[in-house]
Amino acid sequence: MQAANRVQKALRTDSGLSFGAWQMLAGSNISRMIARSGFDWVVVDTEHGNIDVPLLNTDEDAKTLVKSAKFPPTGQRGFGSPFAMERFGNITQTEYLQQANDSLLTIVQIETREALHNVLQAKTQSLWK
């Protein structure tokens, strides 16, 4: 796998040059198609789509996820979307961030006994807002 990492190879050589793609449409098939098209790297940035995170075990993990996924004041996520806010209607920056937070769906995968136990014990309603 490491041998196929062309961006690391480029960064470790004198040229340091690489050619990549910025994927803004969700879908693993799109990612595969781009990856097989000869690019050195692909960044998957679905910005305002769903966020699906595997292997969270604790309430603290979930709180960190929410802070990372949500815009201020709910979270700490930065915003520099290439789409102008005007494309979402005549709204203020504050309204844009609030609407983005409200429409963002954050999903966690419960994959361990510890995580299942913690979910069953937690009062998750306030945690996931």
Side-chain angles (χ1 to χ4, degrees), residues 38-104:
F39 292 103
D40 296 321
W41 51 267
V42 177
V43 172
V44 180
D45 180 4
T46 58
E47 191 64 25
H48 299 292
N50 299 341
I51 297 175
D52 181 7
V53 180
L55 205 59
L56 264 72
N57 288 311
T58 67
D59 286 349
E60 198 56 42
D61 290 344
K63 288 176 185 176
T64 300
L65 167 65
V66 170
K67 281 184 183 177
S68 298
K70 300 282 187 173
F71 295 108
T74 306
Q76 299 172 334
R77 180 178 177 179
F79 60 98
S81 174
F83 299 114
M85 285 181 271
E86 302 87 51
R87 295 191 71 181
F88 296 98
N90 189 18
I91 59 175
T92 67
Q93 179 176 330
T94 302
E95 292 169 323
Y96 171 79
L97 295 176
Q98 184 60 51
Q99 287 180 23
N101 280 344
D102 290 346
S103 64
L104 183 69

Side-chain angles (χ1 to χ4, degrees), residues 6-7 9-11 13-19 40:
R6 294 189 307 240
V7 72
K9 283 182 186 177
L11 293 171
T13 65
D14 289 335
S15 74
L17 297 175
S18 66
F19 184 65
D40 296 321

